Amino acid sequence: QKEVEQDPGPLSVPEGAIVSLNCTYSNSAFQYFMWYRQYSRKGPELLMYTYSSGNKEDGRFTAQVDKSSKYISLFIRDSQPSDSATYLCAPSTGGFKTIFGAGTRLFVKA
Amino acid sequence: KAGVTQTPRYLIKTRGQQVTLSCSPISGHRSVSWYQQTPGQGLQFLFEYFSETQRNKGNFPGRFSGRQFSNSRSEMNVSTLELGDSALYLCASSSPTGDRTEAFFGQGTRLTVV
């Protein structure tokens, strides 16, 4: 079993839709939960992160962690074509152990 | 501050050949990780080096190897190339920031095996 499972998609939505991207994980030691965004022909970049359970909001983006069910979510409100990218979840124990999900490709159609 | 630099950006090789990819991390970063990214499998971890030692390894065959030099620069080698090795190879460097570690990625090397 992989430590982090993420549906690779692709996920295609119309502009303005609410997008839900999800990951599950198996390692209870994960404490930090990061989301990376990767545009075409670029490397991934850190989008946002949360610590332990709960929600964190940053503009149109909300990261949510449920440690009891080992479930990580990223919500995008009022999605835009510029949000089209691959989104990778990356839980971490802290220090150097960070595990990346496979990434979900998102397409937002104008 | 310069980012992570990967060279070359694009590479075309023939089956059976070998290839070496290079990664220069952000100055001061001692950890370098390598990933393979394909449309079907997504991002997959190859290995991580820290202070010239391989610290973690993913589930790839022995044809994939790497090393890290004393200046933290890293190289990845793939021998006896197969068509299925065609992928984007990403390098990431990191250094602990408090209790979490952010990975900084290069733009990758696009390898095509024909």
Side-chain angles (χ1 to χ4, degrees):
Chain A
Q1 182 192 9
K2 288 185 178 180
E3 283 193 274
V4 180
E5 298 277 1
Q6 184 176 12
D7 187 338
L11 179 63
S12 184
V13 301
E15 183 176 357
I18 296 175
V19 176
S20 173
L21 304 168
N22 309 293
C23 291
T24 59
Y25 64 94
S26 58
N27 189 342
S28 299
F30 289 141
Q31 294 288 335
Y32 296 86
F33 301 89
M34 293 175 275
W35 283 94
Y36 284 74
R37 179 173 61 192
Q38 181 183 18
Y39 290 116
S40 180
R41 296 187 177 86
K42 299 282 188 182
E45 290 183 322
L46 182 65
L47 177 63
M48 60 191 300
Y49 76 95
T50 58
Y51 172 70
S52 196
S53 283
N55 291 0
K56 183 173 183 178
E57 190 172 319
D58 184 359
R60 296 184 294 109
F61 296 85
T62 300
Q64 190 173 80
V65 177
D66 182 346
K67 292 189 72 178
S68 63
S69 58
K70 297 186 176 67
Y71 199 78
I72 313 165
S73 298
L74 179 70
F75 298 97
I76 307 174
R77 289 183 287 107
D78 187 25
S79 57
Q80 303 295 309
S82 59
D83 295 328
S84 297
T86 296
Y87 291 82
L88 303 106
C89 64
S92 172
T93 59
F96 286 105
K97 186 172 173 66
T98 298
I99 306 296
F100 282 86
T104 299
R105 286 183 294 158
L106 171 67
F107 297 97
V108 181
K109 300 172 293 184
Chain B
K1 196 174 188 182
V4 177
T5 303
Q6 290 188 246
T7 56
R9 288 291 311 279
Y10 301 92
L11 206 50
I12 299 176
K13 288 286 188 179
T14 305
R15 269 184 303 172
Q17 286 186 313
Q18 75 163 17
V19 67
T20 299
L21 311 181
S22 179
C23 172
S24 293
I26 290 173
S27 177
H29 286 192
R30 294 161 63 189
S31 171
V32 174
S33 297
W34 287 91
Y35 298 85
Q36 182 195 68
Q37 189 175 41
T38 59
Q41 299 294 319
L43 192 75
Q44 295 186 90
F45 173 71
L46 282 156
F47 30 66
E48 183 217 354
Y49 286 86
F50 180 80
S51 293
E52 302 179 65
T53 300
Q54 187 180 89
R55 188 158 64 173
N56 290 296
K57 189 177 188 304
N59 191 26
F60 277 80
R63 299 185 297 107
F64 292 82
S65 63
R67 59 177 174 168
Q68 187 180 33
F69 302 95
S70 58
N71 62 357
S72 293
R73 189 177 72 85
S74 178
E75 288 183 347
M76 191 194 93
N77 185 275
V78 188
S79 62
T80 319
L81 284 165
E82 301 177 0
L83 294 179
D85 297 333
S86 295
L88 180 67
Y89 289 88
L90 289 161
C91 161
S93 75
S94 59
S95 183
T97 305
D99 290 326
R100 63 173 179 86
T101 300
E102 179 179 352
F104 295 85
F105 285 84
Q107 289 192 285
T109 294
R110 173 77 60 185
L111 172 65
T112 302
V113 182
V114 296

